[in-house]
Amino acid sequence: MKKSAFLIAPALALGALALSTSPALAADSNTMYQANLAAINGSNASGSVMITVNGDQATVTEKVSGLAAMFNGSPYPHVQHIHIGAQGTCPDMSADTSKDGVISTTEGAPFYGGIGATLSTSGDTSPAAGTDLKVAPSGASYTYNRTFTLDAKTADSLKAGTAVVVVHGLDPATLPAAAQKEPSDLVPSLPLAATSPALCGSLKAMPAGAPGTGITTPAPAGPDLGLLAAGGGLVLAAGGAYALRRKMAA
Ligand SMILES: [Cu+2]
């Protein structure tokens, strides 16, 4: 009788652990959004973005590769933003209303909207920093990690499913010859290629506790089922050892 009671005890402890943990996980205020970044304007780049929102804090984890590498002899700055307030989609070539063969940032706006937040490397993350090349991540490939305060409009757009990540900056050589000579629609002192979209992806909320959908970076927060299972295993092991000590003592 006593022995079986001790064997049951760890199972009860494990059950209690699961019961006490589950409501906490369900009430977790983190919401995760994920976007697969697809090439536009023939950039041949690719990438993925994960955004964890906790209150008004957004933690962005982004990985990109295959972007234009150099600009005027320096690592190519890629301004990048969360665009908001439109359809929440990425433009196809029908957006190219000027028919120059390039979807400019402005031409894509009916699809992805205006800038809600700038994914800068330091300082300002507002739309005001949108074309500041000094705080843009740079080079062909990079990993971007930053936590910043979301403004209300961007937070609302994320919730509404209309937030889109756009990474800008094309290799001018990949543009049609005529378009290579055009000025940027955003910063006329720069060429059109410098600010035109290279990557685009719609941010979609992930179900709470869902495993990553194709993203390879570890989730910064949220339930770790493996850890939970290991914790349960420790409780079982401890209970078993206790039962064994009791048995030997007796
Ligand atoms: Cu943008």
Side-chain angles (χ1 to χ4, degrees):
M1 281 296 265
K2 264 186 183 169
K3 187 179 163 191
S4 63
F6 277 117
L7 286 174
I8 286 164
L12 287 176
L14 181 60
L17 179 74
L19 282 174
S20 68
T21 309
S22 297
L25 293 177
D28 194 350
S29 63
N30 285 354
T31 308
M32 296 208 293
Y33 298 89
Q34 190 254 340
N36 289 315
L37 302 178
I40 68 174
N41 284 321
S43 73
N44 287 322
S46 61
S48 57
V49 180
M50 175 90 79
I51 301 181
T52 304
V53 176
N54 190 348
D56 67 354
Q57 295 299 298
T59 297
V60 178
T61 305
E62 177 196 28
K63 209 169 166 56
V64 299
S65 60
L67 289 166
M70 303 296 283
F71 185 73
N72 288 342
S74 299
Y76 198 127
H78 294 282
V79 295
Q80 51 177 17
H81 318 104
I82 301 174
H83 285 250
I84 62 167
Q87 299 175 52
T89 59
C90 293
D92 57 25
M93 283 313 288
S94 72
D96 177 24
T97 50
S98 72
K99 304 292 178 201
D100 63 354
V102 180
I103 303 165
S104 72
T105 297
T106 311
E107 286 173 332
F111 293 78
Y112 48 61
I115 298 173
T118 299
L119 301 177
S120 56
T121 54
S122 65
D124 192 7
T125 55
S126 80
T131 56
D132 187 348
L133 302 182
K134 293 188 298 295
V135 291
S138 60
S141 303
Y142 55 83
T143 300
Y144 174 86
N145 265 294
R146 192 164 178 199
T147 299
F148 60 93
T149 303
L150 271 185
D151 68 20
K153 281 184 187 170
T154 306
D156 288 348
S157 188
L158 274 167
K159 282 183 201 144
T162 57
V164 180
V165 172
V166 181
V167 180
H168 304 255
L170 299 167
D171 177 356
T174 63
L175 272 59
Q180 292 182 24
K181 299 186 181 76
E182 285 182 62
S184 161
D185 50 323
L186 300 183
V187 187
S189 62
L190 294 172
L192 177 66
T195 61
S196 292
L199 283 170
C200 182
S202 301
L203 287 160
K204 297 297 170 208
M206 293 169 65
T213 53
I215 217 155
T216 50
T217 47
D224 186 333
L225 296 177
L227 202 63
L228 187 64
L234 285 176
V235 171
L236 276 177
Y242 181 60
L244 190 63
R245 277 201 306 277
R246 292 283 301 200
K247 199 177 165 189
M248 287 175 79

